[in-house]
């Protein structure tokens, strides 16, 4: 008979009831962040509501599969075998939204998924080499990149509240009288009158009543205030799921006011298999793959620090072989994501924080969380329900979610020595400036080669390149394992 006391807490198998309860906790903590990315990218691609709902289901399904591989392990080559929940990284959102803007619709989706599969393969191959790449990504680099990621995403949250700058909710509309005049001129031209110049379009000059509706703003404010109140006065799990709870409260109020509708939820089925390659064969563009590969390197650097920090929290030393096995899952999970119509995966830091809050170190809790995620992904009504959430409700939560990403970058930068090494200020200042170029001057690349647009359209990629180069220029290349661990402990939001 084996001695129970000899079992490490990480390998402890808890009773099924307790596993399920703790697994649900992990799912609740990550759920809001997990479904945000497919909502952002699906709507940026201008996909139908049914396709966006499918992306959400596919994301939940693959979250579960990759979580089980990471926590349970797959042979000796895959899985860190620690309590880790895997989810889509926000670091990939900027480049994917840029790709979606270039090529919307299903063709754009195929290009994005091709880039994801290619980047996943690159990540899988370079996982054993990540130890050598860490010297390029000290806290000053990772903190700056995460700060820019958060600032870039804030634009999404703000547009969720007020309305997108283009389309039905744009701030201005074309005056109907002007449209009638242009139609009359076209008819006259067709009858032999003066020809109309090619490309002639009317400018939008009339305020759009659908933009920045006071009721929408009020609901977004209600969600934001709810989240802040719950975070301030909630304890334990309640505080950890403040964002999700705030969105639920916002949905309840929106439904009561007739601003949220459930027709598509009613039409959705109770069970459906998540099928791969729903939008057709992926398109493998080398430049897009290179762009996403850079994102994956940043993601794997984050994961490295996260795994080392989690090893300290659980009192289990992470060997180089285990670290490589964990990083391989980032690559494998991303490849699986691309095949199943979803996005790049990484360990969710807020769930690492939950391990510290609950004190439960068993990896089987996250395995159970993965099983629950798979089950949710197989229920189309869940995806349809998330897709039905009004964007202005999500906007109130988006300010918190995306702002927390930026704040996490600031927290990591707080560990950097700016007093004795003033050159570090240049690294952050210039890199943040580069990261803001596409946000402030999105048309700056109009005369640059079209082939490199996917790289230079993303402020996150520009900031990453700038931070790595400037840090190497001012500080050289060195790596302290403890600094990476300390930075990871501060990264509690993706």
């Amino acid at each position: 008979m084996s001695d129970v006391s000899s079992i490490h807490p990480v390998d402890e198998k808890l009773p099924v009831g307790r596993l399920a309860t703790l697994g649900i906790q992990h799912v609740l903590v990550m759920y809001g962040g997990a479904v945000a990315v497919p909502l952002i990218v699906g709507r940026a691609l201008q996909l139908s509501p049914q396709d966006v709902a499918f992306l959400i289901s596919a994301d939940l399904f693959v979250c579960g599969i990759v979580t089980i591989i990471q926590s349970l392990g797959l042979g000796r080559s895959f899985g860190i075998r620690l309590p880790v929940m895997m989810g889509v990284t926000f670091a990939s959102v900027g480049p994917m939204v840029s790709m979606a803007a270039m090529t919307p619709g299903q063709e754009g989706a195929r290009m994005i998924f091709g880039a994801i599969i290619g980047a996943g393969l690159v990540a899988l191959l370079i996982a054993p080499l990540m130890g050598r790449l860490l010297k390029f990504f000290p806290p000053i680099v990772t903190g700056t990149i995460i700060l820019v990621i958060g600032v870039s995403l804030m634009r999404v949250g703000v547009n969720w509240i007020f309305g997108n700058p283009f389309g039905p909710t744009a701030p201005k509309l074309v005056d109907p009288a002007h449209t009638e005049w242009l139609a009359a001129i076209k008819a006259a031209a067709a009858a032999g009158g003066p020809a109309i110049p090619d490309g002639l379009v009317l400018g939008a000059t009339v305020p759009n009543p659908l933009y920045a509706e006071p009721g929408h703003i009020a609901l977004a404010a209600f969600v934001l205030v709810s989240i802040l109140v719950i975070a301030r006065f909630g304890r334990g799990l309640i505080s950890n799921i403040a964002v999700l709870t705030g969105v639920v409260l916002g949905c309840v109020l929106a439904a009561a006011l007739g601003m949220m509708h459930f027709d598509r939820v009613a039409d959705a089925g109770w069970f459906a298999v998540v099928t791969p390659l729903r939008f057709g064969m992926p398109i493998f563009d080398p430049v897009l793959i290179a762009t996403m590969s850079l994102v994956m390197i940043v993601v794997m650097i984050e994961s490295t620090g996260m795994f080392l920090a989690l090893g300290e929290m659980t009192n289990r030393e992470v060997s180089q072989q285990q670290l490589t096995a964990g990083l391989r899952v980032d690559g494998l999970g991303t490849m699986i994501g691309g095949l199943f119509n979803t996005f790049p995966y990484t360990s969710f830091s807020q769930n690492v924080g939950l391990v510290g809050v609950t004190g439960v170190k068993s990896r089987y809790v996250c395995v159970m969380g993965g099983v629950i995620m798979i089950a949710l992904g197989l229920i189309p009504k869940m995806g349809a329900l998330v897709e039905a959430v009004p964007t202005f409700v999500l906007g109130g939560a988006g300010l918190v979610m995306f702002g927390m990403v930026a704040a996490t970058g600031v927290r990591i930068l707080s560990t950097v020595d700016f007093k004795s090494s003033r050159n570090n200020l240049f690294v952050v200042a210039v890199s943040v400036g580069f990261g803001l170029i596409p946000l402030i001057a999105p048309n700056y690349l109009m005369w640059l080669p079209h082939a490199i647009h996917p790289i230079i359209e993303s402020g996150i990629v520009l900031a990453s390149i700038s931070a790595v180069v400037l840090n190497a220029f001012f500080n050289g290349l060195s790596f302290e394992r403890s600094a990476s661990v300390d930075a990871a402990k501060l990264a509690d939001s993706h």
Side-chain angles (χ1 to χ4, degrees):
M1 186 174 176
S2 61
D3 183 6
V4 176
S5 64
S6 66
I7 298 176
H8 194 281
V10 168
D11 299 318
E12 183 181 4
K13 295 182 179 179
L14 303 174
V16 175
R18 192 174 182 212
L19 274 181
T21 301
L22 294 169
I24 291 172
Q25 285 187 5
H26 274 281
V27 170
L28 291 174
V29 167
M30 71 173 293
Y31 194 84
V35 300
V37 176
L39 275 172
I40 296 169
V41 178
R43 287 171 177 170
L45 283 166
Q46 302 174 31
L47 297 178
S48 68
Q50 291 78 10
D51 283 337
V52 174
F54 175 83
L55 291 183
I56 294 166
S57 294
D59 177 34
L60 296 175
F61 179 75
V62 178
C63 274
I65 291 176
V66 182
T67 294
I68 292 173
I69 295 174
Q70 188 70 278
S71 297
L72 189 61
L74 184 64
R76 288 180 52 84
S77 300
F78 295 95
I80 192 69
R81 290 176 170 80
L82 289 172
V84 174
M85 293 292 290
M86 301 290 288
V88 177
T89 173
F90 282 140
S92 63
V93 171
M96 290 191 296
V97 169
S98 297
M99 297 175 197
M102 269 199 320
T103 312
Q106 295 199 3
E107 184 180 358
R110 291 165 58 207
M111 294 178 72
I112 289 174
F113 296 138
I116 290 169
I117 293 171
L121 178 59
V122 170
L124 188 64
L125 295 176
I126 67 173
L129 306 176
M130 287 308 297
R132 300 178 184 177
L133 294 177
L134 285 174
K135 59 187 176 183
F136 293 98
F137 294 86
I140 188 172
V141 174
T142 56
T144 301
I145 293 171
I146 294 172
L147 171 60
V148 172
I149 290 171
V151 171
S152 299
L153 289 172
M154 287 298 289
R155 174 178 55 179
V156 175
V158 171
N159 286 338
W160 274 349
I161 296 174
F162 301 113
N164 289 316
F166 305 101
T169 59
K172 298 284 186 179
L173 294 174
V174 175
D175 192 321
H178 296 177
T179 302
E180 292 176 7
W181 171 84
L182 183 59
I185 293 295
K186 286 181 178 179
I196 298 178
D198 292 337
L200 176 66
V201 293
L202 297 174
T205 57
V206 179
N208 185 356
L210 297 180
Y211 182 80
E213 285 190 43
H216 294 175
I217 298 173
L219 253 173
F222 170 78
V223 173
L224 176 59
V225 171
S226 298
I227 293 170
L228 297 178
V229 170
I230 295 168
R232 169 65 178 84
F233 298 104
R235 293 291 181 269
L237 176 64
I238 300 300
S239 178
N240 284 324
I241 61 171
V243 172
L244 181 61
T245 306
V247 171
V248 171
L249 292 175
C251 289
V252 171
L253 181 56
L257 295 173
M259 303 169 75
M260 180 176 178
H261 306 284
F262 301 92
D263 298 342
R264 286 191 288 269
V265 181
D267 293 338
W270 282 103
F271 176 82
V273 176
V274 177
T275 54
L277 305 179
R278 176 185 174 98
F279 302 100
M281 286 299 296
I283 299 172
F284 298 98
D285 183 289
V287 177
L288 300 185
I289 291 173
T291 301
M292 294 304 296
S293 295
L294 178 58
V295 170
M296 286 305 300
I297 291 174
V298 175
V299 165
M300 293 168 78
I301 295 295
E302 273 194 86
S303 294
T304 298
M306 203 68 62
F307 293 151
L308 296 176
L310 190 56
E312 285 192 3
M313 291 173 62
T314 58
N315 299 314
R316 169 167 280 184
E317 184 177 354
V318 177
S319 67
Q320 184 61 46
Q321 185 273 333
Q322 289 174 308
L323 184 61
T324 299
L327 294 175
R328 282 198 188 104
V329 176
D330 279 4
L332 177 64
T334 297
M335 291 179 66
I336 295 172
L339 288 170
F340 279 88
N341 320 285
T342 180
F343 311 106
Y345 285 87
T346 186
S347 53
F348 257 38
S349 49
Q350 53 263 53
N351 291 89
V352 174
L354 186 61
V355 172
V357 171
T358 63
V360 178
K361 303 173 183 178
S362 172
R363 59 194 172 104
Y364 293 100
V365 170
C366 290
V367 172
M368 178 60 76
V371 172
I372 295 170
M373 296 291 278
I374 290 174
L376 292 175
L378 295 174
I379 304 174
K381 283 189 183 294
M382 292 300 300
L385 181 61
V386 174
E387 193 281 328
V389 177
T391 53
F392 45 87
V393 171
L394 293 172
L399 291 183
V400 177
M401 284 194 299
F402 307 144
M404 286 295 289
V405 177
T408 296
V410 173
R411 289 177 63 187
I412 293 174
L413 289 174
S414 70
T415 67
V416 176
D417 181 10
F418 290 104
K419 290 184 179 180
S420 61
S421 181
R422 291 185 65 252
N423 289 334
N424 284 335
L425 293 171
F426 288 109
V427 177
V428 178
V430 175
S431 299
V432 170
F434 268 84
L436 293 178
I437 289 174
L439 271 71
I440 297 171
N443 296 319
Y444 84 101
L445 39 63
M446 63 169 55
W447 305 118
L448 298 175
H450 191 270
I452 64 171
H453 282 196
I455 294 178
I456 60 178
E457 273 186 329
S458 169
I460 297 168
V461 175
L462 289 177
S464 301
I465 295 172
S466 172
V468 169
V469 172
L470 290 177
N471 175 68
F473 174 71
F474 284 117
N475 300 321
L477 300 176
S478 61
F479 168 66
E480 295 182 9
R481 179 182 175 115
S482 60
S484 180
V485 174
D486 291 341
K489 288 179 178 178
L490 293 175
D492 60 359
S493 179
H494 268 276

